[in-house]
Amino acid sequence: MWNSPKVGILGGGQLGRMLVESANRLNIQANILDADNSPAKQISAHDGHVTGSFKEPDAVRKLAETCDVITAEIEHVDTYALEEVASKVRVEPSWQAIRTIQNKFNQKEHLRKYGIPMADHRELVNNTPEELAQIGEQLGYPMMLKSKTMAYDGRGNFRVNSKEDIPEALEALKDRPLYSEKWAYFKMELAVMVIKTKDDVLSYPTVETVQEDSICKLVYAPARNVPDAINQQAQALARKAVSAFEGKGAFGVEMFLLEDNSLMLCELASRIHNSGHWTIEGCALSQFDSHIRAILDLPIPPKSLELLQPSIMLNIIGGATPDSHLQATQAALSIPNASIHLYSKGAAKPGRKMGHVTVTAATMHEAETMIQPLVDVVDTMRA
Ligand code: ATP
Ligand code: MG
Ligand code: MG
């Protein structure tokens, strides 16, 4: 039957958990590779899961034996293990795509060949102060020093305001492979979820993302006060960027909207993405539904990716106390049209994503008014 193939997922965090929620509704078995009791495993009772890490080749091999198609909720996986098992099991998106994308510098070098606009950047070869000072002269200050690999939630970025910051920047990112980016003076950050299927590249509407301390805090769907022409251009740019990679599934594309209304790519993820959580309530098919369908070659009516009603997503991020996320979420219980998603990660750590809340309404203004009391609560609980 169409739903008999088993899906293997590298990683059982909140993204894997929401993939399992979608798979469950279609009676599709998802086998998770992660630690026991990881968030995704908690809502999926069967004996097909694998205990271990998506960085361990043996564990990836074991998962491959039990599945028809393998996907990943995170890009920081062992792509050499994926390359090896790709002869026996389908890997979506391709291990080549994940390998190129997981290194932000390689990702940008690849996308450059396709004419995707990006901030000018330079690779560091020796990670010395002299080398970075020379790059600073070329790119100007401020510039963003970035780790090429293992970056998430801004952990891997350091803003270098002047030559004087160079020693501190290199210390903060020491022992990591680095490149540096010219500062992007954006007026807004936008994101588009792209779904690559066997014969199509589809996209969800353009959303506005607001980061605080480099972590995504709020997502507005659609982006506020952005003309439809820019919404369409952003979707087209996102689809063009994703088309540069092989394989099926969801890709998250982050962009900067500059002062002159031009668009620039910030980065791309080879997976379902935080900027697409709003699609659970905001669209007929969520990014998780679409990802499962795309990797199994099941139909995705493009109309199901259109916005049903304005939506705002607020991340519930760990604050000063281990239960801050529960206190914040308690306030959401009384907000009309608020859909609460807790990830069941245990005690909160500062800066850790513990859950999210999405509010939908007939107008964006109404959604903003409804969610504001919760934004106020979250702001008072910051670590
Ligand atoms: P994610 O959690 O999205 O994977 P990340 O750690 O990979 O994040 P980036 O997406 O590269 O980091 O950057 C995080 C944030 O830092 C961006 O959303 C943006 O707000 C800011 N930023 C990144 N690059 C630049 C730049 N060149 N100029 C100005 N701001 C930037
Ligand atoms: Mg990133
Ligand atoms: Mg990012």
Side-chain angles (χ1 to χ4, degrees):
M1 285 299 276
W2 58 271
N3 64 351
S4 56
K6 291 191 175 63
V7 175
I9 305 177
L10 273 66
Q14 70 265 24
L15 297 171
R17 181 178 169 104
M18 289 184 269
L19 275 179
V20 169
E21 288 175 353
S22 286
N24 280 351
R25 282 188 280 109
L26 295 180
N27 286 0
I28 290 168
Q29 182 174 322
N31 295 344
I32 308 293
L33 164 55
D34 208 331
D36 290 337
N37 205 38
S38 60
K41 288 187 182 178
Q42 291 171 28
I43 60 162
S44 180
H46 58 73
D47 55 11
H49 299 307
V50 176
T51 305
S53 160
F54 40 77
K55 292 180 190 284
E56 289 167 17
D58 274 343
V60 175
R61 286 183 201 117
K62 198 167 166 201
L63 182 75
E65 281 165 21
T66 70
C67 300
D68 302 284
V69 54
I70 284 191
T71 189
E73 61 136 27
I74 178 167
E75 58 268 36
H76 309 304
V77 297
D78 183 343
T79 61
Y80 294 90
L82 285 179
E83 178 178 1
E84 183 191 313
V85 300
S87 54
K88 301 189 206 95
V89 60
R90 284 184 284 139
V91 176
E92 303 292 356
S94 68
W95 58 264
Q96 292 97 329
I98 300 175
R99 186 176 297 166
T100 304
I101 288 169
Q102 70 181 188
N103 181 311
K104 289 163 92 166
F105 181 75
N106 292 349
Q107 174 191 135
K108 289 192 167 145
E109 290 301 290
H110 180 74
L111 286 170
R112 194 211 293 271
K113 292 183 235 151
Y114 293 81
I116 302 297
M118 288 171 281
D120 197 7
H121 54 269
R122 299 278 186 284
E123 181 176 26
L124 275 81
V125 181
N126 308 312
N127 291 10
T128 60
E130 297 72 29
E131 183 181 30
L132 189 54
Q134 201 177 13
I135 291 173
E137 275 175 32
Q138 292 165 5
L139 298 178
Y141 295 96
M143 62 179 171
M144 192 72 102
L145 184 64
K146 294 191 176 187
S147 174
K148 292 179 184 173
T149 58
M150 300 301 294
Y152 70 100
D153 291 344
R155 296 174 214 190
N157 286 0
F158 195 101
R159 178 181 166 143
V160 187
N161 287 316
S162 68
K163 207 174 162 199
E164 283 63 50
D165 287 349
I166 286 177
E168 194 189 343
L170 289 174
E171 178 61 28
L173 297 176
K174 80 166 181 265
D175 301 329
R176 300 179 75 165
L178 302 176
Y179 75 106
S180 195
E181 250 177 49
K182 192 178 172 76
W183 197 257
Y185 289 94
F186 56 83
K187 59 179 178 185
M188 196 185 258
E189 289 190 79
L190 302 177
V192 172
M193 287 309 307
V194 175
I195 306 294
K196 210 154 165 284
T197 68
K198 65 179 185 335
D199 34 36
D200 249 327
V201 184
L202 306 170
S203 52
Y204 283 93
T206 305
V207 301
E208 169 187 355
T209 67
V210 177
Q211 346 295 321
E212 205 169 78
D213 299 333
S214 288
I215 303 183
C216 175
K217 178 185 184 187
L218 282 156
V219 173
Y220 295 85
R224 294 170 302 174
N225 305 317
V226 167
D228 191 52
I230 293 178
N231 174 359
Q232 298 301 334
Q233 282 163 27
Q235 288 191 57
L237 175 61
R239 288 194 303 261
K240 185 175 171 185
V242 170
S243 301
F245 296 97
E246 287 296 318
K248 298 172 227 172
F251 291 74
V253 184
E254 301 173 12
M255 283 166 274
F256 300 129
L257 179 63
L258 305 180
E259 289 297 337
D260 65 357
N261 277 346
S262 63
L263 291 162
M264 203 179 240
L265 183 114
C266 169
E267 63 163 345
L268 183 152
S270 54
R271 54 171 168 79
I272 52 281
H273 195 261
N274 195 175
S275 66
H277 292 357
W278 66 276
T279 58
I280 298 174
E281 289 79 18
C283 301
L285 285 181
S286 76
Q287 60 165 341
F288 305 100
D289 299 330
S290 296
H291 182 73
I292 296 283
R293 290 187 185 206
I295 64 175
L296 293 177
D297 295 337
L298 298 174
I300 301 175
K303 191 158 182 52
S304 300
L305 309 192
E306 290 174 11
L307 182 110
L308 293 174
Q309 51 180 351
S311 311
I312 304 176
M313 189 239 38
L314 173 71
N315 273 333
I316 305 294
I317 293 168
T321 59
D323 68 345
S324 51
H325 59 297
L326 295 179
Q327 292 177 47
T329 317
Q330 193 175 1
L333 292 170
S334 307
I335 293 182
N337 286 6
S339 236
I340 302 171
H341 302 254
L342 283 174
Y343 305 149
S344 196
K345 289 176 163 179
K349 292 192 192 108
R352 193 166 187 218
K353 288 174 181 161
M354 303 302 291
H356 76 265
V357 175
T358 299
V359 171
T360 56
T363 65
M364 181 55 85
H365 179 69
E366 204 184 321
E368 286 178 295
T369 308
M370 289 197 297
I371 205 168
Q372 191 55 48
L374 183 59
V375 177
D376 293 340
V377 170
V378 163
D379 284 344
T380 59
M381 306 202 72
R382 284 185 62 196

